[in-house]
Structures are given as C-alpha cells and as structure tokens.
C-alpha cells in the first residue's frame, strides 16, 4: 500500500545519511574497479567500461539502457540512434554509462554532473577517454541538486536547454520530490525535452504523472515500468510533437546544423526502393538465349 511504501522509504532515507555514505566511500574495498559494463549500441557498441565496487554508484543496467534508447529512438523513426545535434544531460553521472551511450548513438554533446571526485578521475574520465568522447563531454564536479538550483538562480549558467536528461541517482541518498521540484523550475528543459528517471518501487508514490516546465507547458509521463527492482519513468512530448528537437534553438552553432530526424531518412530510403522497383518492372526482360546443340 501507499502508506507502507512511504514508511519504508522514510526509513531508507533516515538510514542513508551523509555520514553513512562517507563511511562507504572511505572503505578501500569500495574504491576498486572492474569492467562489467559495456556500451549497448551505436558507434561504440560492445565497448567495455570501468565501474567501481562502491554500492553508492549505481550504473543503469544494460537491459534498461537498451530499453531506454530504443524507446527514445522510436520517437524519431527508429534505428537506435538519436537526432543529429541533440544534447544530453547525465545527472548523477557516475560511470558515465548513460551519457556515453547517448554519445555513441549520435548525441552531439553530453554534460555529466557527478559529486564524487574519485569517480570522476578514475572512472568517468577513463571511460570517456576509452571511447574517444572527451572532447564531446563536459564534467561538473558538484551535487546534481546544486546544479539545478544554480541554473534556476542564474539562467545563463548552464547555457541552452537540453534535449534529453537522465536522472539515475543513488536511491537512498536523494529526495525525489526535491528533484522533481527543481527540474520543473529549471530553464534546462524545453517543451520537447525527454526526461528519464530511475527509481525503486519504494518511491513510486513520489513519481508524478506530469512534469511542469519553467518555460510553460507540461510534459506527460508516457512510460512507467519495472525492470526487476528498478523502475523507469519517462517524460516527454507526445509522439506527434516529437518531429524536431528544440526547434526554438536556431541561432546557436548547434542549431544551424540540419535538424531532420531519422523519419526523413527512412522515408527517403523507402521512396528510393519503390522507385527502383518500378524502374525494374518497366524494363523489358531479355529473351533467353537459344540452346545450341
């Protein structure tokens, strides 16, 4: 029930204090790394990524990442890729697996927000270097909540709004109501931004059906399902409104690039195939050569 879920969530939040998180990070065993992650699709598919043994760093599972990007790609015609020129914000960046997956699938740039300096130095930067994406990445060493607050207080601090935002926090160390409140007031979201939020079942009652935006309008939650213990909520424009990414952003260098979606590419291929078939039907078939005996 909702009451039981709320009580359990409150107990988790009380237990996961800043001191508890510090003790976990102070344990040398949690500072070791291993390669158990990999990029699922795009130009760097199957590339292995480093990840820490620190349980406060929770990389998005591969099957969940695959489902997320297939869902988003389907909004733009399929093919597993993101629209040209799109920008991704990876909050609670951690290993960078989500933001790097976005770069692998065609995103032009990704901003990572991560608090743990050790993770940035030994994991995130190493993974970006391995995939050759350091020049396409911006890394901010700060709390995700502080980054959102700063964007609200100083609108030009973060630059242009993002086309995609992933929120995959350590479940026990964040307040989802606070995160949603800050997101709704932040200028980092435009009317066609897609927002992916990962959460546990204990906090389901804290996940709203809609996300109001500071620029006006409302983004509905069009997907909310479980992958084992992990739940995923996805907010964004309706399918009919997904034809272009941030059409208002046309004056900046990124906006000057061609912003057509994969839908146009697939339509062009279909028309070329149909034209080729018609031409083949119009050409008379050659008579078979007479057999010589």
């Amino acid at each position: 029930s909702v009451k039981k879920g709320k009580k359990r969530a409150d107990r988790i939040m009380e237990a996961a204090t800043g001191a508890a998180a510090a003790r976990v990070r102070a344990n040398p065993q949690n500072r070791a790394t291993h390669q158990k992650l990999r990029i699922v699709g795009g130009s760097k598919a199957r590339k292995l990524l480093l990840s820490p043994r620190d349980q406060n760093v929770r990389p998005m599972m591969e099957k969940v990442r695959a489902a997320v990007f297939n869902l988003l790609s389907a909004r733009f015609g399929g093919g597993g890729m993101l629209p040209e020129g799109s920008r991704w914000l990876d909050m609670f960046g951690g290993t960078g697996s989500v933001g790097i997956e976005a770069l692998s699938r065609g995103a032009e740039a990704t901003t990572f927000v991560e608090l743990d300096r050790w993770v940035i130095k030994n994991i995130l930067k190493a993974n970006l270097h391995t995939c050759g994406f350091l020049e396409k990445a911006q890394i901010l060493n700060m709390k995700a909540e502080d980054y959102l607050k700063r964007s609200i207080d100083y609108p030009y601090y973060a630059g242009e709004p993002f086309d995609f935002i992933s929120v995959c926090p350590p479940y026990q160390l964040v307040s989802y109501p606070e995160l949603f409140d800050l997101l709704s007031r932040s200028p980092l979201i435009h009317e066609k931004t897609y927002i992916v939020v990962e959460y546990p079942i204990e906090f389901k009652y804290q996940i709203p059906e809609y996300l109001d935006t500071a620029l006006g309008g409302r983004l509905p939650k069009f997907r909310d399902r479980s992958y084992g213990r992990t739940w995923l909520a996805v907010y964004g424009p309706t399918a009919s409104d997904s034809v272009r990414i941030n059409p208002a952003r046309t004056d900046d260098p990124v906006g000057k690039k061609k912003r057509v979606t994969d839908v146009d590419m697939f339509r062009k291929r279909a028309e070329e195939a149909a034209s080729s078939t018609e031409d083949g039907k119009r050409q008379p078939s050659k008579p078979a050569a007479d057999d010589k005996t």
Side-chain angles (χ1 to χ4, degrees):
S1 67
V2 174
K3 285 187 177 181
K4 289 184 178 179
K6 186 177 186 305
K7 288 181 179 179
R8 184 177 179 186
D10 290 341
R11 288 197 299 270
I12 291 175
M13 292 296 290
E14 290 174 2
T17 62
R23 286 195 297 272
V24 172
R25 291 191 171 95
N27 188 339
Q29 294 181 354
N30 291 327
R31 299 286 83 174
T33 63
H34 50 200
Q35 284 187 316
K36 289 190 175 182
L37 292 175
R38 64 177 180 175
I39 299 300
V40 179
S43 62
K44 304 299 179 181
R46 304 187 68 82
K47 201 81 169 179
L48 290 175
L49 301 178
L50 289 171
S51 60
R53 300 181 187 276
D54 187 341
Q55 296 187 13
N56 279 289
V57 179
R58 299 178 56 89
M60 183 182 285
M61 294 184 297
E62 288 180 19
K63 68 174 183 179
V64 180
R65 255 188 294 128
V68 167
F69 283 92
N70 288 338
L71 172 66
L72 296 175
S73 173
R75 287 286 173 124
F76 302 96
M81 303 299 286
L82 298 177
E84 179 184 357
S86 56
R87 300 173 67 241
W88 191 290
L89 171 60
D90 188 354
M91 297 175 61
F92 305 95
T95 64
S97 60
V98 178
I100 294 175
E101 185 82 38
L103 292 170
S104 176
R105 292 174 183 261
E108 181 170 281
T110 296
T111 295
F112 299 87
V113 183
E114 172 55 43
L115 178 62
D116 193 325
R117 291 184 180 181
W118 185 91
V119 170
I120 291 176
K121 180 180 178 181
N122 297 281
I123 304 293
L124 179 53
K125 285 186 176 180
N127 287 337
L128 286 167
H129 176 74
T130 297
C131 296
F133 288 146
L134 272 172
E135 294 183 357
K136 292 187 174 184
Q138 178 187 30
I139 303 174
L140 302 177
N141 181 204
M142 61 191 307
K143 287 184 65 175
E145 295 89 341
D146 290 343
Y147 175 67
L148 292 176
K149 291 175 183 176
R150 193 168 297 183
S151 73
I152 295 170
D153 295 335
Y154 308 98
Y156 295 100
Y157 168 77
E160 296 290 336
F162 291 91
D163 305 310
F164 302 92
I165 299 177
S166 52
V167 184
C168 306
Y171 301 154
Q172 301 175 357
L173 304 179
V174 299
S175 166
Y176 281 93
E178 180 187 11
L179 282 175
F180 279 107
D181 175 65
L182 291 172
L183 284 169
S184 67
R185 294 190 288 123
S186 172
L188 300 177
I189 301 172
H190 59 71
E191 69 274 12
K192 297 188 187 301
T193 298
Y194 285 89
I195 304 172
V196 180
V197 181
E198 191 178 84
Y199 67 95
I201 184 62
E202 293 88 351
F203 297 104
K204 188 172 179 62
Y205 72 98
Q206 297 179 350
I207 308 301
E209 293 297 319
Y210 295 91
L211 181 63
D212 294 318
T213 67
L215 300 179
R218 169 177 283 190
L219 298 175
K221 180 175 64 176
F222 65 87
R223 178 61 60 89
D224 190 6
R225 63 158 295 180
S226 65
Y227 298 86
R229 183 178 178 271
T230 298
W231 279 75
L232 208 66
V234 185
Y235 299 82
T238 60
S240 60
D241 293 332
S242 301
V243 180
R244 288 184 179 272
I245 283 288
N246 198 3
R249 194 171 72 235
T250 56
D251 297 330
D252 61 289
V254 175
K256 292 178 182 178
K257 294 189 176 183
K258 189 177 180 184
R259 287 182 179 277
V260 295
T261 63
D262 290 341
V263 175
D264 300 322
M265 179 185 67
F266 284 109
R267 184 182 296 114
K268 183 177 180 181
R269 288 180 181 176
E271 291 173 353
E272 291 176 351
S275 176
S276 175
T277 303
E278 289 296 326
D279 292 342
K281 290 180 179 179
R282 290 171 186 170
Q283 294 179 359
S285 60
K286 295 181 179 181
D290 296 334
D291 293 335
K292 295 182 179 180
T293 56

mmCIF file of all heavy atoms in Angstrom, residues 118-132:
data_model
loop_
_atom_site.group_PDB
_atom_site.id
_atom_site.type_symbol
_atom_site.label_atom_id
_atom_site.label_comp_id
_atom_site.label_asym_id
_atom_site.label_seq_id
_atom_site.Cartn_x
_atom_site.Cartn_y
_atom_site.Cartn_z
ATOM 1 N N TRP A 118 36.715 11.102 -6.871
ATOM 2 C CA TRP A 118 37.437 9.865 -7.185
ATOM 3 C C TRP A 118 36.804 9.175 -8.387
ATOM 4 O O TRP A 118 37.506 8.683 -9.273
ATOM 5 C CB TRP A 118 37.423 8.936 -5.973
ATOM 6 C CG TRP A 118 38.255 7.696 -6.173
ATOM 7 C CD1 TRP A 118 39.572 7.527 -5.865
ATOM 8 C CD2 TRP A 118 37.806 6.455 -6.737
ATOM 9 N NE1 TRP A 118 39.980 6.253 -6.203
ATOM 10 C CE2 TRP A 118 38.913 5.575 -6.735
ATOM 11 C CE3 TRP A 118 36.589 6.003 -7.242
ATOM 12 C CZ2 TRP A 118 38.835 4.279 -7.220
ATOM 13 C CZ3 TRP A 118 36.505 4.703 -7.735
ATOM 14 C CH2 TRP A 118 37.614 3.856 -7.720
ATOM 15 N N VAL A 119 35.488 9.157 -8.433
ATOM 16 C CA VAL A 119 34.784 8.532 -9.554
ATOM 17 C C VAL A 119 35.080 9.286 -10.851
ATOM 18 O O VAL A 119 35.309 8.683 -11.901
ATOM 19 C CB VAL A 119 33.262 8.485 -9.283
ATOM 20 C CG1 VAL A 119 32.498 8.072 -10.531
ATOM 21 C CG2 VAL A 119 32.958 7.519 -8.148
ATOM 22 N N ILE A 120 35.073 10.616 -10.781
ATOM 23 C CA ILE A 120 35.358 11.413 -11.981
ATOM 24 C C ILE A 120 36.757 11.106 -12.507
ATOM 25 O O ILE A 120 36.946 10.856 -13.712
ATOM 26 C CB ILE A 120 35.221 12.915 -11.673
ATOM 27 C CG1 ILE A 120 33.758 13.273 -11.413
ATOM 28 C CG2 ILE A 120 35.779 13.753 -12.825
ATOM 29 C CD1 ILE A 120 33.545 14.716 -11.001
ATOM 30 N N LYS A 121 37.750 11.128 -11.603
ATOM 31 C CA LYS A 121 39.143 10.962 -12.015
ATOM 32 C C LYS A 121 39.443 9.558 -12.493
ATOM 33 O O LYS A 121 40.130 9.373 -13.511
ATOM 34 C CB LYS A 121 40.061 11.327 -10.840
ATOM 35 C CG LYS A 121 41.548 11.178 -11.156
ATOM 36 C CD LYS A 121 42.406 11.545 -9.955
ATOM 37 C CE LYS A 121 43.885 11.345 -10.254
ATOM 38 N NZ LYS A 121 44.729 11.680 -9.079
ATOM 39 N N ASN A 122 38.950 8.552 -11.776
ATOM 40 C CA ASN A 122 39.360 7.170 -12.046
ATOM 41 C C ASN A 122 38.379 6.370 -12.890
ATOM 42 O O ASN A 122 38.759 5.326 -13.438
ATOM 43 C CB ASN A 122 39.578 6.435 -10.716
ATOM 44 C CG ASN A 122 40.704 7.024 -9.900
ATOM 45 O OD1 ASN A 122 41.867 6.768 -10.157
ATOM 46 N ND2 ASN A 122 40.351 7.837 -8.917
ATOM 47 N N ILE A 123 37.136 6.831 -13.009
ATOM 48 C CA ILE A 123 36.131 6.065 -13.742
ATOM 49 C C ILE A 123 35.592 6.846 -14.946
ATOM 50 O O ILE A 123 35.755 6.433 -16.100
ATOM 51 C CB ILE A 123 34.947 5.690 -12.824
ATOM 52 C CG1 ILE A 123 35.439 4.935 -11.586
ATOM 53 C CG2 ILE A 123 33.941 4.847 -13.595
ATOM 54 C CD1 ILE A 123 36.014 3.583 -11.852
ATOM 55 N N LEU A 124 34.956 7.964 -14.670
ATOM 56 C CA LEU A 124 34.255 8.704 -15.723
ATOM 57 C C LEU A 124 35.202 9.175 -16.824
ATOM 58 O O LEU A 124 34.961 8.942 -18.017
ATOM 59 C CB LEU A 124 33.504 9.880 -15.106
ATOM 60 C CG LEU A 124 32.727 10.796 -16.061
ATOM 61 C CD1 LEU A 124 31.786 9.994 -16.941
ATOM 62 C CD2 LEU A 124 31.962 11.846 -15.271
ATOM 63 N N LYS A 125 36.287 9.859 -16.429
ATOM 64 C CA LYS A 125 37.220 10.352 -17.445
ATOM 65 C C LYS A 125 37.883 9.204 -18.199
ATOM 66 O O LYS A 125 38.127 9.307 -19.413
ATOM 67 C CB LYS A 125 38.277 11.247 -16.789
ATOM 68 C CG LYS A 125 37.766 12.620 -16.406
ATOM 69 C CD LYS A 125 38.893 13.511 -15.902
ATOM 70 C CE LYS A 125 38.393 14.921 -15.617
ATOM 71 N NZ LYS A 125 39.475 15.809 -15.122
ATOM 72 N N ALA A 126 38.182 8.117 -17.490
ATOM 73 C CA ALA A 126 38.801 6.956 -18.147
ATOM 74 C C ALA A 126 37.861 6.362 -19.184
ATOM 75 O O ALA A 126 38.291 5.984 -20.290
ATOM 76 C CB ALA A 126 39.170 5.909 -17.098
ATOM 77 N N ASN A 127 36.567 6.263 -18.857
ATOM 78 C CA ASN A 127 35.601 5.711 -19.814
ATOM 79 C C ASN A 127 35.428 6.619 -21.025
ATOM 80 O O ASN A 127 35.312 6.139 -22.164
ATOM 81 C CB ASN A 127 34.259 5.485 -19.117
ATOM 82 C CG ASN A 127 34.282 4.304 -18.169
ATOM 83 O OD1 ASN A 127 35.105 3.389 -18.310
ATOM 84 N ND2 ASN A 127 33.399 4.306 -17.185
ATOM 85 N N LEU A 128 35.408 7.924 -20.789
ATOM 86 C CA LEU A 128 35.298 8.868 -21.911
ATOM 87 C C LEU A 128 36.530 8.779 -22.810
ATOM 88 O O LEU A 128 36.421 8.818 -24.041
ATOM 89 C CB LEU A 128 35.127 10.286 -21.380
ATOM 90 C CG LEU A 128 33.756 10.629 -20.802
ATOM 91 C CD1 LEU A 128 33.814 11.943 -20.025
ATOM 92 C CD2 LEU A 128 32.704 10.716 -21.913
ATOM 93 N N HIS A 129 37.698 8.635 -22.194
ATOM 94 C CA HIS A 129 38.930 8.510 -22.971
ATOM 95 C C HIS A 129 38.931 7.217 -23.786
ATOM 96 O O HIS A 129 39.306 7.213 -24.969
ATOM 97 C CB HIS A 129 40.133 8.540 -22.034
ATOM 98 C CG HIS A 129 41.441 8.327 -22.736
ATOM 99 N ND1 HIS A 129 42.040 9.290 -23.521
ATOM 100 C CD2 HIS A 129 42.265 7.233 -22.793
ATOM 101 C CE1 HIS A 129 43.160 8.813 -24.031
ATOM 102 N NE2 HIS A 129 43.328 7.580 -23.593
ATOM 103 N N THR A 130 38.503 6.137 -23.167
ATOM 104 C CA THR A 130 38.457 4.847 -23.863
ATOM 105 C C THR A 130 37.587 4.907 -25.111
ATOM 106 O O THR A 130 37.914 4.324 -26.147
ATOM 107 C CB THR A 130 37.915 3.750 -22.924
ATOM 108 O OG1 THR A 130 38.803 3.597 -21.813
ATOM 109 C CG2 THR A 130 37.771 2.419 -23.639
ATOM 110 N N CYS A 131 36.467 5.648 -25.005
ATOM 111 C CA CYS A 131 35.531 5.738 -26.137
ATOM 112 C C CYS A 131 35.839 6.899 -27.076
ATOM 113 O O CYS A 131 35.167 7.057 -28.104
ATOM 114 C CB CYS A 131 34.108 5.873 -25.609
ATOM 115 S SG CYS A 131 33.523 4.442 -24.683
ATOM 116 N N GLY A 132 36.842 7.717 -26.728
ATOM 117 C CA GLY A 132 37.195 8.837 -27.586
ATOM 118 C C GLY A 132 36.204 9.984 -27.545
ATOM 119 O O GLY A 132 36.056 10.715 -28.531
#
